[in-house]
């Protein structure tokens, strides 16, 4: 996926890898990256590059806007509170999300080769037994899919880890679901890597 994919009304997700995106050269992004270790700085600028490229494709006037973060680290476009944005990185994989008129979060994960039973129980709770019989790599992949949905939800809400993402009920194999006022979607039919987004769902919809 290299161009923005609309996953819901006014909600888009883009994903790529670090070696397929030009890092951001925005003055503010460069200033922030200068305070980071080299590897983290490269990852940060690649993520911002993907986000700005996504904005340029959808809302060109916003592509050069300053990006701020709230006290919990949720990114925001300065002067454009009605546009939700999100970025995710995982071992060279990148994802960016943009939503007009609502908050949103996106998360991508490269699965490990296996997953411990205790970690699976922590994320899956009553569903953990459903992956216990899977081959190790397949179990790790499914846990990663679940985690991306959980993480996308707390990113969308702005709570981050304080929102206790591991407590959000995401059944293995589920393509979509709800968490309070948020809807999450796992892009199982669109992405080779576990990739999910979440966004505020309008009241009454």
């Amino acid at each position: 996926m290299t161009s923005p994919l609309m996953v819901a009304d006014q909600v888009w997700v883009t994903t790529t890898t670090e070696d397929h995106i030009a890092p951001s050269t925005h003055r503010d992004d460069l200033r922030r990256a200068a305070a980071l270790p080299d590897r983290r700085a490269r990852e940060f600028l690649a993520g911002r590059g993907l986000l700005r490229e996504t904005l340029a494709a959808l809302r060109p006037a916003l592509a050069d806007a300053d990006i701020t973060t709230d006290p919990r680290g949720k990114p925001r476009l300065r002067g454009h509170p009605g546009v939700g944005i999100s970025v995710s990185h995982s071992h060279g994989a990148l994802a960016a999300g943009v939503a007009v008129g609502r908050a949103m979060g996106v998360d991508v994960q490269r699965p490990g080769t296996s997953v411990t039973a205790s970690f699976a129980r922590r994320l899956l709770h009553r569903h953990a037994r459903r992956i216990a019989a899977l081959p190790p790599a397949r179990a790790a992949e499914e846990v990663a899919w679940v985690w991306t949905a959980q993480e996308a939800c707390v990113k969308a809400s702005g709570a981050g880890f304080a929102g206790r993402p591991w407590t959000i009920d995401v059944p293995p194999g589920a393509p979509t679901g709800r968490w309070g006022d948020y809807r999450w979607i796992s892009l199982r039919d669109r992405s080779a890597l576990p990739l999910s987004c979440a966004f505020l769902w309008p009241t009454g919809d």
Side-chain angles (χ1 to χ4, degrees), residues 55-81:
L55 287 166
L58 300 170
R59 295 289 190 275
L62 303 182
D64 197 45
D66 286 345
I67 299 172
T68 64
T69 55
D70 69 14
R72 287 182 170 166
K74 183 175 176 59
R76 302 181 186 278
L77 286 177
R78 188 190 302 276
H80 303 279

Side-chain angles (χ1 to χ4, degrees), residues 26-116:
H26 189 280
R27 61 195 179 281
D28 188 57
D29 297 343
L30 292 173
R31 179 181 61 80
R32 292 172 184 270
L36 301 173
D38 287 349
R39 178 72 188 97
R40 179 70 183 92
R42 290 194 298 271
E43 183 181 67
F44 173 82
L45 290 173
R48 287 293 176 90
L50 179 61
L51 176 58
R52 291 189 185 281
E53 186 175 285
T54 304
L55 287 166
L58 300 170
R59 295 289 190 275
L62 303 182
D64 197 45
D66 286 345
I67 299 172
T68 64
T69 55
D70 69 14
R72 287 182 170 166
K74 183 175 176 59
R76 302 181 186 278
L77 286 177
R78 188 190 302 276
H80 303 279
V83 179
I85 57 172
S86 185
V87 179
S88 180
H89 331 79
S90 180
H91 304 289
L94 303 170
V98 174
V100 176
R102 63 184 78 185
M104 74 93 63
V106 68
D107 195 68
V108 65
Q109 294 288 328
R110 285 195 185 275
T113 56
S114 63
V115 63
T116 65

Side-chain angles (χ1 to χ4, degrees):
M1 190 190 312
T2 56
S3 58
L5 171 70
M6 182 182 283
V7 298
D9 183 36
Q10 301 295 296
V11 180
W12 294 268
V13 172
T14 311
T15 184
T16 189
T17 56
E18 283 186 29
D19 56 342
H20 284 88
I21 191 73
S24 173
T25 57
H26 189 280
R27 61 195 179 281
D28 188 57
D29 297 343
L30 292 173
R31 179 181 61 80
R32 292 172 184 270
L36 301 173
D38 287 349
R39 178 72 188 97
R40 179 70 183 92
R42 290 194 298 271
E43 183 181 67
F44 173 82
L45 290 173
R48 287 293 176 90
L50 179 61
L51 176 58
R52 291 189 185 281
E53 186 175 285
T54 304
L55 287 166
L58 300 170
R59 295 289 190 275
L62 303 182
D64 197 45
D66 286 345
I67 299 172
T68 64
T69 55
D70 69 14
R72 287 182 170 166
K74 183 175 176 59
R76 302 181 186 278
L77 286 177
R78 188 190 302 276
H80 303 279
V83 179
I85 57 172
S86 185
V87 179
S88 180
H89 331 79
S90 180
H91 304 289
L94 303 170
V98 174
V100 176
R102 63 184 78 185
M104 74 93 63
V106 68
D107 195 68
V108 65
Q109 294 288 328
R110 285 195 185 275
T113 56
S114 63
V115 63
T116 65
S118 60
F119 187 70
R121 286 194 299 272
R122 188 183 188 201
L123 266 59
L124 297 168
H125 307 286
R126 61 191 174 90
H127 305 298
R129 65 182 183 278
R130 292 174 53 183
I131 69 162
L134 294 176
R138 180 68 189 89
E141 181 182 20
E142 190 54 46
V143 168
W145 276 108
V146 169
W147 178 247
T148 62
Q150 293 170 325
E151 180 75 354
C153 285
V154 296
K155 285 185 173 183
S157 73
F161 265 54
R164 297 168 57 84
W166 53 89
T167 67
I168 299 172
D169 185 34
V170 177
T176 187
R178 296 284 295 272
W179 176 61
D181 294 331
Y182 296 85
R183 180 186 178 193
W184 57 263
I185 297 176
S186 290
L187 306 182
R188 290 174 176 267
D189 59 342
R190 307 292 184 94
S191 176
L193 289 179
L195 171 66
S196 300
C197 69
F199 46 89
L200 190 62
W201 194 246
T203 303
D205 285 8

